[in-house]
Amino acid sequence: MKRWIVYGSEYGTTRRYAEACSARTGIPAADYRSAPDLGSCDQVIYFGGLYAGGVCGLKKTIKSLSPGVQLILVTVGLADVSDPENIHSIRASIQKQVPAELLRRAQIFHLRGGIDYSRLGFKHKTMMTLLYNKVKNLPPEKRNAETQALIDTFNQKVDFVDLNALDPIVEALG
């Protein structure tokens, strides 16, 4: 079986997960911008960072896949992945990027990443600041877990990476 781990990472957290998965499984890994031709792959494991409601590099990668490929999609974001509301929101954004038939056959996993505001590019820092300014004055009863996490961690460095969270993904790969 021909398979690749491909990742879309802006600041390195997603890359850390993808490279750790590669080390554990022996499956080669590459950034989506420099990945080899994926058209002949039987299986692609895609690790994608979540940015502004989208999965980094996923749309470009999907275009290069063959129709019958087995896709394992792993999202990495700041939001708590044990919160059903967060998962619902992530899956809604995935539906906008992945064709329905491919999504129906895909296995999907969600991992928690991190953020270092000092490393954010202008665009991402501006978006996070605008979002923070929008939610910081919400009354506590109107805040969800994701909103509260944003308020609590704004302008800090936080790292929720847990490489043990790769275990179910590695098991799914056989």
Side-chain angles (χ1 to χ4, degrees):
M1 177 184 319
K2 184 175 178 189
R3 42 194 195 169
W4 271 89
I5 294 172
V6 180
Y7 60 88
S9 181
E10 290 291 327
Y11 300 103
T13 305
T14 303
R15 178 180 43 83
R16 282 171 51 202
Y17 275 122
E19 289 176 350
C21 188
S22 175
R24 287 176 65 177
T25 62
I27 301 169
D31 183 288
Y32 80 97
R33 292 167 279 228
S34 60
D37 176 27
L38 301 172
S40 63
C41 284
D42 302 301
Q43 183 182 63
V44 171
I45 305 93
Y46 191 85
F47 285 77
L50 295 168
Y51 301 99
V55 181
C56 179
L58 181 61
K59 204 173 207 176
K60 179 182 179 196
T61 302
I62 293 292
K63 290 178 183 177
S64 68
L65 301 179
S66 66
V69 71
Q70 179 191 12
L71 176 66
I72 295 177
L73 177 57
V74 184
T75 66
V76 180
L78 189 57
D80 181 358
V81 296
S82 66
D83 182 331
E85 188 177 323
N86 290 340
I87 298 301
H88 177 76
S89 175
I90 293 167
R91 291 189 180 223
S93 70
I94 290 170
Q95 287 178 340
K96 296 174 186 172
Q97 291 184 282
V98 180
E101 178 57 27
L102 181 57
L103 186 59
R104 187 185 63 73
R105 295 188 330 264
Q107 288 181 273
I108 302 173
F109 297 90
H110 307 287
L111 302 175
R112 198 148 188 215
I115 192 166
D116 180 351
Y117 281 84
S118 70
R119 294 189 60 220
L120 293 183
F122 178 76
K123 180 175 111 179
H124 290 138
K125 188 174 275 193
T126 300
M127 288 183 342
M128 294 302 287
T129 300
L130 289 171
L131 185 56
Y132 171 76
N133 286 331
K134 179 180 175 183
V135 300
K136 71 180 179 181
N137 295 321
L138 283 174
E141 66 273 6
K142 298 240 183 200
R143 297 176 185 171
N144 61 23
E146 185 174 4
T147 302
Q148 190 60 51
L150 171 65
I151 293 167
D152 293 343
T153 62
F154 182 71
N155 232 7
Q156 298 177 33
K157 179 180 180 178
V158 291
D159 188 348
F160 298 111
V161 172
D162 176 7
L163 296 179
N164 292 322
L166 289 170
D167 291 347
I169 299 162
V170 171
E171 288 175 25
L173 294 172

